[in-house]
């Protein structure tokens, strides 16, 4: 069963065009801001484990800081091979808190 838990507060979210890492239970979540639209995905790149929240945004793609694999922030698909897909999570904002569905 899934449920929303608090990830962070709205004021801590990354600025447009940036990504950021947030601890969440026993994992880390990468939150990306593409032109004001916030999305969340696992922070661990499926190539060799690079920290996606330390990557950069190009268009609507998040670029891994280690070897440049690009990830669609909405679908979680690797741009070069959509079969490779990283987990993405729904977010909602409630009273200034950013909630993530797990
Ligand atoms: S670890 Fe992300 S591209 Fe290699």
């Amino acid at each position: 069963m899934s449920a929303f838990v608090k990830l962070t507060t709205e004021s801590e979210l990354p600025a447009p065009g940036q990504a950021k890492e947030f601890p969440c239970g026993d994992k880390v979540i990468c939150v990306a801001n593409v032109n004001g639209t916030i999305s969340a995905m696992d922070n661990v790149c499926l190539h060799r484990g690079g920290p996606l929240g330390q990557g950069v945004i190009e268009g609507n793609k998040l670029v891994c800081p280690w070897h440049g694999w690009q990830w669609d922030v909405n679908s979680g698909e690797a741009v070069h091979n959509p079969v490779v897909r990283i987990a993405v999570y729904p977010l909602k904002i409630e009273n200034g808190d950013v909630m993530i569905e797990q």
Side-chain angles (χ1 to χ4, degrees), residues 45-52 64-71:
C45 180
L46 294 178
H47 178 217
R48 293 194 184 164
L52 293 178
C64 178
W66 283 8
H67 316 97
W69 280 26
Q70 296 181 21
W71 300 93

Side-chain angles (χ1 to χ4, degrees), residues 9-102:
T9 59
E10 204 172 358
S11 61
E12 292 296 317
L13 287 172
Q18 295 183 6
K20 205 167 167 182
E21 300 169 301
F22 294 94
C24 184
D26 58 358
K27 56 184 161 185
V28 178
I29 299 295
C30 166
V31 175
N33 183 336
V34 176
N35 297 324
T37 301
I38 305 295
S39 59
M41 60 171 55
D42 272 337
N43 194 53
V44 181
C45 180
L46 294 178
H47 178 217
R48 293 194 184 164
L52 293 178
Q54 297 175 29
V56 297
I57 305 287
E58 286 183 7
N60 67 339
K61 307 292 186 293
L62 180 63
V63 183
C64 178
W66 283 8
H67 316 97
W69 280 26
Q70 296 181 21
W71 300 93
D72 184 307
V73 298
N74 298 309
S75 67
E77 293 173 351
V79 171
H80 68 286
N81 183 358
V83 172
V84 180
R85 183 182 294 222
I86 210 160
V88 294
Y89 303 96
L91 290 177
K92 66 179 179 180
I93 296 177
E94 279 183 356
N95 302 321
D97 288 336
V98 179
M99 313 291 290
I100 186 169
E101 188 174 21
Q102 298 232 294

